[in-house]
Amino acid sequence: MSLLEIENLSVRFRIKGGWGRSAWLHAVDDVSLSLPRGKTLALVGESGSGKTTAALAAARLVPASEGAVRLDGTDLLTLEGETLRRARARVQVIFQDPYSSLNPRLRAGAIVREPMDALNTPPKAERADRVAELFAQVGLRPEQQALFPHQFSGGQRQRIGIARALATRPELIVCDEAVSALDVAVQAQILNLLRRLQAELGLTFLFISHDLGVVQHMSDRVAVMYMGRIVEEADRGPLFSAPLHPYTQALLAAVPSIDRRRRGRSAVKATGETPDPLNPPPGCMFASRCPRAEALCRETRPALEEKSPGHRAACHFPGPSGD
Ligand SMILES: Nc1ncnc2c1ncn2[C@@H]1O[C@H](COP(=O)(O)OP(=O)(O)OP(=O)(O)O)[C@@H](O)[C@H]1O
Ligand SMILES: [Mg+2]
């Protein structure tokens, strides 16, 4: 069974306009995903597509408007009180910016300890040993517990962020652009650390990144978001070598480092305007930018359907690029 099952998750934000008007932004719209234990599902898509909001709603850090988020069969969105607190310990987030996500006034040891105090687990007497263990696990020295965040490099700060995320022995970790703020060499070290920890601790990752090179390195499965919806989802191999949705094809075509030979000859270019998210068109959200769009695409929204086993796409005319 999957560790995480997200079912028909939607998040709406009320956006206030001028003259007292307001509108609803469907930041996440009917997203369903499942994530097996010990695996990594990457969420990709351009800025504003809803990746962070979807992940934070799954972790109950942003209120969902609709849907269910089951962790091991328990719907997190309906929990309250003590059961919610215990469930929260099982899902942790590593944020992009280790500069702003760590409290500058706390010593590193206290930063790592904080979630254990907040969630009251493990017992108090065990917390100091647990902090020491976590420092060793992420490759920091014991005496570094006494230092403040500004005394660390960016990579080391992200190690503190990882230790903190691991403090309550979570099963699911959301990595939201966890290496995006780091130099390439440091990125590789942190990614390797994450993979090692995943193998050692059996962690499950929901891995958000706009860097497809990183995603290709880290993921087992990939979901592509566009304007709040999943437009394609597949295992890493088929997603990179035989993407079906023109939006995915355009994303991949924009990354020179990804092997293009296996993807067909011509690169898909997305031109045209992105629709107004507060006033979405009736058809496919990508139609205005899609080189393959026909009348049907502007009239009817395509459902996310399985086009081949395990490969879902929301497109009326899915297929290889360049046809
Ligand atoms: N608290 C909020 N109130 C109103 N709108 C929000 C809020 N949080 C996010 N949004 C909007 O929801 C949409 C999705 O944002 P989100 O941050 O989830 O995108 P993202 O895919 O993570 O983007 P990025 O790659 O830039 O991190 C955007 O249009 C954003 O402006
Ligand atoms: Mg984001």
Side-chain angles (χ1 to χ4, degrees):
M1 197 177 87
S2 295
L3 174 69
L4 179 73
E5 290 276 354
I6 299 177
E7 252 179 53
N8 308 110
L9 182 69
S10 295
V11 180
R12 284 188 290 271
F13 294 115
R14 205 177 144 147
I15 305 291
K16 293 209 167 68
W19 298 287
R21 285 182 305 184
S22 73
W24 290 98
L25 172 69
H26 292 244
V28 176
D29 196 6
D30 199 19
V31 162
S32 297
L33 288 169
S34 91
L35 178 47
R37 190 181 284 278
K39 300 284 184 195
T40 300
L41 171 72
L43 266 187
V44 306
E46 58 202 356
S47 185
S49 56
K51 307 179 295 293
T52 296
T53 306
L56 293 184
R60 258 196 87 156
L61 295 170
V62 158
S65 316
E66 267 163 66
V69 176
R70 274 186 265 281
L71 189 71
D72 245 352
T74 307
D75 186 359
L76 295 180
L77 302 188
T78 60
L79 298 182
E80 285 173 38
E82 183 55 29
T83 44
L84 172 60
R85 206 156 61 145
R86 263 186 273 129
R88 276 197 195 285
R90 302 172 65 188
V91 183
Q92 291 293 312
V93 186
I94 300 170
F95 293 98
Q96 166 172 5
D97 189 356
Y99 299 82
S100 63
S101 61
L102 304 180
N103 185 338
R105 285 178 297 277
L106 287 186
R107 294 179 196 275
I111 290 173
V112 171
R113 185 188 163 107
E114 209 176 34
M116 298 187 238
D117 293 335
L119 299 168
N120 202 20
T121 176
K124 240 186 190 147
E126 294 170 24
R127 290 178 204 167
D129 283 351
R130 178 84 183 120
V131 172
E133 181 188 20
L134 288 161
F135 266 67
Q137 258 175 347
V138 301
L140 292 169
R141 294 191 307 279
E143 67 273 17
Q144 290 179 307
Q145 285 189 41
L147 302 180
F148 290 95
H150 74 267
Q151 294 173 288
F152 291 89
S153 68
Q156 286 173 326
R157 265 185 263 217
Q158 201 51 303
R159 287 176 197 266
I160 301 172
I162 293 167
R164 179 185 159 85
L166 292 176
T168 58
R169 300 190 191 279
E171 293 147 86
L172 175 68
I173 303 226
V174 174
C175 303
D176 190 357
E177 305 281 4
V179 299
S180 305
L182 305 172
D183 295 344
V184 174
V186 181
Q187 276 193 2
Q189 292 168 12
I190 298 296
L191 293 174
N192 288 338
L193 171 65
L194 288 171
R195 284 167 68 109
R196 179 167 64 70
L197 290 168
Q198 177 167 45
E200 281 174 17
L201 305 172
L203 298 169
T204 306
F205 287 150
L206 182 55
F207 192 90
I208 299 174
S209 179
H210 66 268
D211 184 334
L212 290 165
V214 168
V215 166
Q216 199 173 25
H217 182 66
M218 290 297 286
S219 60
D220 298 296
R221 210 169 157 76
V222 184
V224 183
M225 283 187 81
Y226 183 70
M227 298 194 76
R229 307 186 130 241
I230 305 285
V231 296
E232 183 159 10
E233 192 208 349
D235 286 345
R236 173 182 56 172
L239 190 110
F240 279 91
S241 63
L244 294 175
H245 198 290
Y247 177 64
T248 310
Q249 290 160 5
L251 275 184
L252 291 175
V255 186
S257 63
I258 289 174
D259 184 1
R260 197 158 285 164
R261 280 166 307 176
R262 292 180 298 146
R263 282 202 323 260
R265 293 145 285 119
S266 57
V268 176
K269 264 219 174 83
T271 52
E273 297 275 312
T274 304
D276 176 3
L278 295 177
N279 191 13
C284 173
M285 300 285 248
F286 190 58
S288 60
R289 297 170 65 190
C290 182
R292 242 187 265 161
E294 300 192 15
L296 172 67
C297 306
R298 283 177 277 272
E299 289 154 13
T300 311
R301 181 137 339 143
L304 183 60
E305 285 169 349
E306 195 159 56
K307 305 293 182 185
S308 60
H311 196 150
R312 299 194 293 164
C315 180
H316 292 303
F317 304 102
S321 58
D323 286 2

